[in-house]
Each structure stands twice: as C-alpha cells, then as structure tokens.
Amino acid sequence: MAKLTVSDLDLKGKKVLMRVDFNVPIKDGVIGNDNRIVAALPTIKYVIEHGGKAILLSHLGRIKKEDDKPGLSMRPVAERLSNLLNKPVTFVPTTEGKQLEDAIDGLNDGDVLVMENTRYEDVKDGEYVKRESGNDPELGKYWASLGDVFVNDAFGTAHRSHASNAGIAANMAQTAAGFLMEKEIKFIGGAVDNPEHPFVAILGGAKVSDKIGVIDNLLAKADKILIGGGMTYTFYAAKGIKIGNSLVEKDKIDLAKEILDKAGDKLVLPVDSVVAEKFDNDAPHKTVEGDVPDGYMALDIGPKSIAEFEDVLKSAKTVVWNGPMGVFEMSNYAEGTLEIGKFLGTLTEAKTIVGGGDSTAAVQQLGVADKLSHISTGGGASLEYLEGKTLPGIAAISDK
Ligand code: AMP
C-alpha cells in the first residue's frame, strides 16, 4: 500500500516534528560537506511554506561518552541551515526539558527550530544509556508529545529502530514520509517489489558476505545479476578457476557454490580481469581471461567483461547498482567502475538506481549522477532494503 507523504498533510498552524538526516561530516565544528542539509531543504521548505512550524531532529555522528558531545553539537548545522534557507533558525542546545518546550511554544507558523543532536540522549550523566539508539519508549513518547504530526525524511537511519524515528512514530496518530524518503521508497521499494523487466542488478565491492542477502533476495526478482569487484574471486574459487593472490573469503566458497547452483545463468561473472603483482597502483599489471596467474591479484574487471555487462544492461528497464567493479580508488583499476557508471548514464529508457558510497562517488565523479533516476542517500539502509528486509523507519510511516 502507498505510504502517506508530507503533501497529504494539512500543515497550517501545526507543530511538525521532522526527522531529517543532518548527519554531515564535521570536524572541529566545521561542516565538511553540506549535501545532506541541502537534500533536506525541499521537505523543510514545503512544510514552512504551508504554514507548519518545523521542529527538526537529527542525529550527528556517534556519542558514547560526554566528551563526544561538544564536537557533535547540531549548532553549526542549524547555522548552515539558516544560511541555506535565508531565514532565522532557532537552535535549542538541549534534547528535552523546559527550554525546548518553551522554544517550541514560541514558534510562529513558518518558523524553523533545530533541536540538539538526538544522540546526546545516548549518554546521560556520563553513562552510555543509548536512550536514542536503543529506542527508549519514554523518549519516543516524550518527543512525540512535542508535535502534532511527524514527518520522517531520514532514509539513512530507516534500517534502525531508534527513538527519533520508530519511537516517535509509535506515539503519533500520523507519520508521513518526506520527499527524500518518498523517492527512496518509490525507486528502491519499487525495484524490489514491482520492477519493470528486464531487471538487472550490478553488485560489486569487496566481500560476498556483505552482499549475500541482496544476491539471495534479488535472485528471485532480477533477470540478471552482474557480479564484479573483489567478491568475484570467491565465486571463481567456487568454480575452480584459479585466483592467484586475489581477495577471497575461504569460508564463503561453499556458499558461493550454492548460489551458483541456484542461480544458473542468472548470475554473470566477469570473464576477464586486470591483474597486478601487488595491491598498488604502480605495480606491474595486465589483463587476463579466466585464471588469475600465480603471483598476481585481480583488481578490476577487464574490457571483455565491461562489454558483456553493457550488452546485458542495454535492454534493461530497471537497473540497481551497488558496489564498485574494482579498486576504483586507484586509477589503474578504476576503469570497470567508471565505464559501468558512464554506461548507466546513457540508459535513458531505464530506471537506474545507485546505492552505496563507492558507486555513488563514481557516478558523481563522472558527472552522470543527474542522468540517473535515483541515487540513494542511505548505504546500510539501501542494502537492507534490497535484501527485502522490513525497515523499521519505513514500516512506521502511515499508509495512505
Ligand atoms: P564494499 O565496501 O563492500 O562496497 O567494497 C568497496 C571496496 O572494495 C572498495 O574500497 C574497493 O577498493 C574494494 N574492491 C573492489 N574490488 C576489489 C578487488 N578486486 N580486490 C580488492 N578490493 C576490491
């Protein structure tokens, strides 16, 4: 069933609690990159333009002791938000109590308030009590009491059951998705639940063990799964292909055999690799088909594999990509990842969905990100979504 979204709500005069993802990189109080704040603007603007009082909650980093708190205050984020919105933003340096409640009571329609980092609640009087990240029921109830409606726009934490997402939602009559969350549900949820075929998944990255849940779930839904990256060589080992010194998870070889048996020709492995003498950009390297020679390790997929993958992708109607095809941080082993990213940018007839930090970095580096249908904002959350798991943050959003 479709989920309720912020545009379904009557916001005028309402205290709108909004869980946003302001978990930006921050060092000595200086924000490294404000992409996540910028990404949250459409939903925030929508709420205030429709007469809501926006009360924003987010976590920032991890807090395990009192000393972690000062460096992870939300104050610089509130200041940046104020600049981006070009209007005053009230910052409240606490997560509960009279100061917060009075500030909320003082809001006019269209005002914006940012509460202190929700994870300040994880440490109380020096003790690591995890009230926020352990979803303390009293905390969710208290935060819910501060607003009239709840909008969750933080997909990045949707796979966690925290007080600031599932906890608040459990105590609200209505929880709606913000625009970012809505887009994640539409594209990733759509690909998993109701993909247009042919549906092709491209999975890369270091380890089979990280992607096993995704492979398992997508075998039942996708028409082809293209495998690249380090995990290729655990599959090679399972097939008796030589792997030289390539990355391998020895304890996952049997599992890889089971997957290969189950998958038949649905699972497509690279036919060639770029192999190097060392894990080093400047090491002697060459392209080989099949067996990786002794004394070499495979660090990228080769040109034949790229061509074969592109041949499968060209007729796809839905494509999901997670994980690099090689060690793309080193320029000599980046071609597989970059070529696949570039090719996705040409697939104008398909829904193209990219998740995971490295694949996202690749399409951004290539400048093709705006040619793709969707770049997911949540690494862990997008993987769990692709695994077919129920995400507590999404489950807690009301149905339409
Ligand atoms: P993941 O975090 O599982 O998505 O894996 C990403 C990492 O896998 C990147 O840092 C890549 O450098 C690395 N990687 C990709 N292909 C290989 C490979 N063939 N051998 C070793 N590492 C790889």
Side-chain angles (χ1 to χ4, degrees), residues 204-207 210-211 229-230 233 247 279 298-300 323-329 358:
K207 293 183 182 164
D210 290 342
K211 302 280 154 74
Y233 305 96
L247 198 65
F279 192 79
L299 298 179
D300 195 10
M325 299 289 97
V327 183
F328 89 113
E329 302 93 327
D358 296 312

Side-chain angles (χ1 to χ4, degrees), residues 73-336:
S73 168
M74 210 52 102
R75 186 184 292 276
V77 176
E79 285 165 5
R80 181 66 59 91
L81 177 65
S82 172
N83 290 339
L84 290 166
L85 286 171
N86 201 16
K87 67 178 272 151
V89 166
T90 303
F91 172 68
V92 181
T94 178
T95 45
E96 60 187 339
K98 189 163 180 333
Q99 188 184 3
L100 175 64
E101 292 153 24
D102 287 350
I104 291 173
D105 283 343
L107 292 175
N108 293 312
D109 295 359
D111 282 353
V112 180
L113 178 150
V114 172
M115 194 183 86
E116 187 52 280
N117 184 354
T118 56
R119 288 199 181 158
Y120 270 42
E121 288 289 339
D122 280 351
V123 174
K124 286 276 165 188
D125 303 321
E127 236 184 294
Y128 186 41
V129 290
K130 294 177 76 168
R131 290 188 82 209
E132 152 73 327
S133 46
N135 192 10
D136 179 323
E138 288 305 315
L139 184 59
K141 198 165 158 191
Y142 170 71
W143 280 337
S145 75
L146 301 173
D148 302 315
V149 286
F150 182 41
V151 173
N152 187 353
D153 210 17
F155 177 72
T157 46
H159 58 317
R160 307 270 183 239
S161 194
H162 288 177
S164 64
N165 60 1
I168 296 178
N171 292 284
M172 294 304 278
Q174 275 192 322
T175 296
F179 297 125
L180 278 179
M181 183 73 98
E182 182 186 20
K183 195 164 175 249
E184 300 278 1
I185 296 171
K186 178 176 160 197
F187 283 101
I188 306 186
V192 172
D193 296 332
N194 192 16
E196 210 182 321
H197 292 275
F199 172 20
V200 181
I202 315 162
L203 300 175
K207 293 183 182 164
V208 182
S209 48
D210 290 342
K211 302 280 154 74
I212 193 72
V214 179
I215 297 175
D216 235 7
N217 188 40
L218 294 188
L219 271 180
K221 315 195 173 212
D223 299 285
K224 290 280 182 203
I225 299 181
L226 312 178
I227 300 286
M231 70 166 148
T232 304
Y233 305 96
T234 301
F235 283 108
Y236 267 27
K239 288 182 70 130
I241 303 174
K242 287 199 173 133
I243 61 165
N245 300 327
S246 306
L247 198 65
V248 63
E249 285 171 277
K250 290 214 169 94
D251 59 336
K252 293 289 179 294
I253 294 176
D254 285 341
L255 184 64
K257 273 188 195 144
E258 276 172 40
I259 297 173
L260 287 166
D261 285 344
K262 193 157 76 174
D265 63 0
K266 228 180 220 191
L267 203 83
V268 184
L269 295 175
V271 290
D272 59 350
S273 312
V274 178
V275 301
E277 289 180 13
K278 276 194 298 190
F279 192 79
D280 181 340
N281 193 42
D282 301 320
H285 57 274
K286 60 185 180 183
T287 300
V288 297
E289 280 182 45
D291 290 333
V292 177
D294 289 341
Y296 283 86
M297 57 180 71
L299 298 179
D300 195 10
I301 61 173
K304 276 201 179 163
S305 309
I306 295 172
E308 280 191 11
F309 284 8
E310 290 180 352
D311 198 47
V312 174
L313 287 166
K314 69 175 192 273
S315 54
K317 285 282 185 300
T318 308
V319 180
V320 167
W321 181 23
N322 191 303
M325 299 289 97
V327 183
F328 89 113
E329 302 93 327
M330 298 185 195
S331 58
N332 284 325
Y333 319 117
E335 191 162 329

